[in-house]
Amino acid sequence: MLNWLRTLLGRARAHPGTIPEALWQHTLAQYPFLAQRAAAEQSQLRTLAGQFLAGKEFSGAQGLVVTDEMAVAIAAQACLPVLHLGLGYYDDFKGIVVHPGAMLARREVMDDSGVVHRYSEVLLGEAMERGPVTLSWQDVAQAGESASQGYNVVVHEFIHKIDMRDGTANGCPPLPSRTAREAWQAVMQPAYDDFREQVAMAERFGGAPPWLDSYAATSPAEFFAVTCEAYFVNRPRFAQDFAALAGLFDEYFRRNRLSTQ
């Protein structure tokens, strides 16, 4: 249990989700994209992050000790996507595993002939359906600096959790109707297709590389996660290349609420 949270839980009248002022100000100083938000949003984010911490369990891998500062940093960034949606989007899991750096995952896939292929994959984070979220602390810690490139591993993995709410991650979050899903895809699919074309032109013919991480071109789910990273940590730059998506994300993340909460 976090030191500050343990202290608060020991006080009969204290709210267990109240992040201490000094700890919160330290977090804002480390991550300017949080400090740049309006005062009302910062206050809301602080409350939500405290509630998030009270309901999650952090563990360190490879001997890493998860400190209060680390946990609050992760919580604040994880709560950005659900700032106006509510924590109901994250109620299907408790565990957050923090590695010192990148991790090596062993994979198995079966091809069409029934042959099993085994390989290793380097991961900076991973979100399991109805399971824990795994993060590289090295990349979390550098999120303040990497925001200029639109990169944020915490947002990326927690967007996958949102995407998984209605089944396997497919690049479309929970929406109330078929019409709403069609409207989402009408904006998302052309943006994805255009981005894949831009990446292909850069890789095959020496065209201008995209600002956004080319990993977004690997699948609709990754496109959703990578574009959301940029949207939440560097919206002005993101909107230059993805104006339609910026509007779509504004509509979804600022106005939608989970109907089952």
Side-chain angles (χ1 to χ4, degrees):
M1 185 183 295
L2 304 177
N3 293 333
W4 68 269
L5 187 54
R6 182 187 297 110
T7 300
L8 289 179
L9 287 173
R11 301 174 184 171
R13 296 185 180 181
H15 191 292
T18 304
I19 298 174
E21 178 68 16
L23 189 52
W24 182 247
Q25 291 303 323
H26 173 78
T27 303
L28 295 181
Q30 295 297 116
Y31 302 98
F33 59 87
L34 299 178
Q36 291 164 3
R37 305 187 83 85
E41 282 200 335
Q42 287 185 30
S43 177
Q44 185 179 354
L45 183 64
R46 179 180 177 180
T47 298
L48 201 65
Q51 295 169 353
F52 175 93
L53 288 165
K56 302 302 178 191
E57 297 176 357
F58 285 77
S59 59
Q62 303 173 41
L64 180 69
V65 176
V66 180
T67 65
D68 291 353
E69 289 80 5
M70 294 165 67
V72 172
I74 291 169
Q77 294 172 75
C79 287
L80 274 178
V82 295
L83 187 59
H84 301 286
L85 305 182
L87 287 176
Y89 278 84
Y90 297 158
D91 65 4
D92 63 340
F93 76 102
K94 277 188 171 293
I96 299 171
V97 183
V98 187
H99 287 248
M103 59 218 78
L104 194 64
R106 290 178 170 79
R107 306 296 198 196
E108 288 188 3
V109 294
M110 181 180 295
D111 63 23
D112 295 338
S113 302
V115 178
V116 175
H117 300 270
R118 296 178 176 85
Y119 63 98
S120 296
E121 182 180 9
V122 177
L123 300 176
L124 303 180
E126 187 173 28
M128 303 294 291
E129 186 175 354
R130 305 194 69 82
V133 172
T134 303
L135 298 165
S136 157
W137 173 248
Q138 181 180 20
D139 288 82
V140 176
Q142 294 174 350
E145 301 171 5
S146 57
S148 61
Q149 287 80 47
Y151 173 75
N152 188 286
V153 67
V154 179
V155 171
H156 183 107
E157 299 307 333
F158 279 85
I159 287 296
H160 280 322
K161 295 297 288 188
I162 293 173
D163 195 359
M164 293 173 183
R165 287 290 305 193
D166 56 358
T168 304
N170 60 5
C172 183
L175 291 168
S177 66
R178 178 177 178 179
T179 299
R181 290 189 293 273
E182 290 175 347
W184 177 275
Q185 294 296 353
V187 178
M188 183 65 77
Q189 189 64 50
Y192 176 55
D193 293 340
D194 289 346
F195 184 75
R196 292 188 68 193
E197 180 66 20
Q198 185 180 1
V199 170
M201 291 296 293
E203 293 179 348
R204 299 174 188 174
F205 307 109
W211 168 71
L212 197 69
D213 188 350
S214 60
Y215 185 62
T218 58
S219 73
E222 296 302 344
F223 184 71
F224 180 36
V226 174
T227 52
C228 281
E229 293 180 59
Y231 169 78
F232 280 106
V233 304
N234 196 344
R235 188 190 183 284
R237 179 63 184 85
F238 173 72
Q240 291 180 27
D241 290 358
F242 300 94
L245 282 188
L248 181 70
F249 292 170
D250 284 345
E251 179 71 20
Y252 183 79
F253 288 108
R254 296 185 182 185
R255 301 182 186 180
N256 183 60
R257 293 196 66 85
L258 186 64
S259 60
T260 58
Q261 288 189 82

